[in-house]
């Protein structure tokens, strides 16, 4: 299965990319497993570990590490919001 | 209900007038405008860039307004949030809530702002004399949103 | 600070703009507009006359604003209250509070309205199909003012 | 001594007058004594007793029945306020 991943704000800058389409190995079925899969790339991807209070949304709804991820999902990682 | 995420400025007077025009059942209109300050966390701010998660922002704002409508008597509401580059003194965000009674209008307006601050996917980057910096989320904003759980 | 008791209408947008014009230290402007509704306490309201105690009203509003300034960080505030004959849909009262932070702006604005409702010497007389009637003070308004004593 | 008395709203209508200048007998030294003095006129002046939660201001400051009244004071009687 494949997902569309988005990165925002300081995390986007640290990773140097705004989005990617990614084919996932079979053992990745949740946000937490996707997160671990990305962190395992090493280097700049440590930003996914070091971003304080990292937030995630699945299909534009706030989600948690245990939230399931399915084929075609849009998954976004970002720091706590600071609008308003 | 009107929700807008836009780079253009907004007009508080026009938005409030649009909400109450032709109606005689509205007794209270509470509104809030947030503006860019030229100083934040001890540093001067020369300008600010507002990034957002297009698509999710509108959805998130609409959900926050819906939640307010479930809690209070809200006759109409408008939320406008600007994105892109802004200068000190510029408008950032507008929330207008119309109700029959003032208590409902005030509570719903403040609730929408508190939840917008902690839930809507916008991020501020400030340009200071020391360079650009992403604004840190404030614990006081989390506490402000928490108080509505009582 | 601007306090006005007047028969003429006011312009929310213009009053807010006047408060923030040329300033870059204001982060939050909370405002409230109260309007005449065409129904109240189960009766239709064709029009309303607002009587006041000239001289004491201005003084009383200024004292309420001063009390708000003592409690919260208020950078500027405007209170306008209309008197005379008003129609459903007409503006009655405007409160605008500017602060660095939204919590202070919201609290001070609602505080001023709650105290205005229970302390400032204005009286409403409504014209209904059954004739003129003086509006009764509401217990809910007393409770709203009481909550600020906590 | 003499005082300037004002009446507002429903009370003004019940009394049929907006204000009066009144020379007070020596025993009237407080709002409560002035109130009793006016009520003693009888007739429409009972409105000063029947107005629910009657309010009073001395020199444009909210006052109580025990508030002293001095020569030249402006004393206003009115029902609870209903602006805003």
């Amino acid at each position: 299965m494949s997902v569309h991943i988005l990165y925002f704000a300081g995390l986007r800058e640290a990773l140097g990319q705004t989005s990617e389409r990614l084919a996932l190995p079979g053992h990745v079925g949740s946000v937490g497993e996707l997160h671990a899969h990305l962190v395992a790339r090493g280097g700049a991807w440590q930003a996914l570990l070091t971003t304080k209070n990292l937030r995630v949304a699945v299909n534009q709804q706030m989600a948690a590490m245990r939230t399931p991820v399915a084929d075609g999902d849009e998954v976004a990682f970002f720091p706590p919001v600071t609008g308003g | 209900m009107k929700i807008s995420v836009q780079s253009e400025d907004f007009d508080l007077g026009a938005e409030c007038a649009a909400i109450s025009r032709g109606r005689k059942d509205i007794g209270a209109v509470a509104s809030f405008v947030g503006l860019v300050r030229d100083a934040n966390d001890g540093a001067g701010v020369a300008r600010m860039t507002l990034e957002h998660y297009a698509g999710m922002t509108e959805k998130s704002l609409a959900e926050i307004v819906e939640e307010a409508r479930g809690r209070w008597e809200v006759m109409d509401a408008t939320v406008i949030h600007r994105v892109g580059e802004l200068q000190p003194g510029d408008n950032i965000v507008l929330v207008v809530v119309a109700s029959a009674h003032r208590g409902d209008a005030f509570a719903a307006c403040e609730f929408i702002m508190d939840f917008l601050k902690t839930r809507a996917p916008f991020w501020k980057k400030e340009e200071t004399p020391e360079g650009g910096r992403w604004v840190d989320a404030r614990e006081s904003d989390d506490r402000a949103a928490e108080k509505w759980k009582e």
Side-chain angles (χ1 to χ4, degrees), chain B residues 47-67:
Chain B
R47 65 177 190 280
M48 173 180 284
T49 307
L50 259 149
E51 179 170 332
H52 75 125
Y53 181 172
M56 182 171 166
T57 38
E58 293 83 348
K59 207 175 295 186
S60 153
L61 295 175
E63 283 168 5
I64 293 167
V65 170
E66 270 316 297
E67 194 164 336

Side-chain angles (χ1 to χ4, degrees), chain B residues 11-13 16 20 23-39 88-89 99-103 105-107 109-111 113-115 117 138 140-141 144-145:
Chain B
D11 179 333
L12 166 66
C16 286
S20 53
R23 293 186 71 155
K24 299 182 188 327
D25 55 345
I26 292 174
V29 178
S31 57
F32 179 83
V33 174
L35 303 103
V36 182
R37 292 189 299 143
D38 61 1
S99 178
H101 306 290
R102 79 181 184 289
F106 271 119
C109 187
E110 189 167 10
F111 172 91
M113 273 307 303
D114 285 347
F115 274 70
K117 279 266 179 187
R138 291 177 191 277
S140 60
D141 287 329

Side-chain angles (χ1 to χ4, degrees), chain A residues 1-80:
Chain A
M1 71 171 188
S2 83
V3 293
H4 186 206
I5 314 180
L6 304 174
Y7 307 103
F8 289 98
L11 183 63
R12 169 181 59 72
E13 286 186 344
L15 298 177
Q17 67 183 105
T18 60
S19 68
E20 60 180 308
R21 293 206 171 270
L22 188 65
L24 296 182
H27 69 272
V28 173
S30 70
V31 168
E33 287 154 5
L34 171 60
H35 180 257
H37 182 67
L38 293 168
V39 168
R41 289 168 165 177
W45 296 92
Q46 298 303 303
L48 281 166
L49 283 179
T50 55
T51 296
K52 206 175 133 192
N53 298 317
L54 182 74
R55 302 288 199 250
V56 64
V58 175
N59 298 327
Q60 305 187 355
Q61 293 283 345
M62 293 304 294
M65 284 296 173
R66 68 177 181 282
T67 304
V69 171
D71 188 47
D73 277 355
E74 177 175 298
V75 182
F77 291 99
F78 44 81

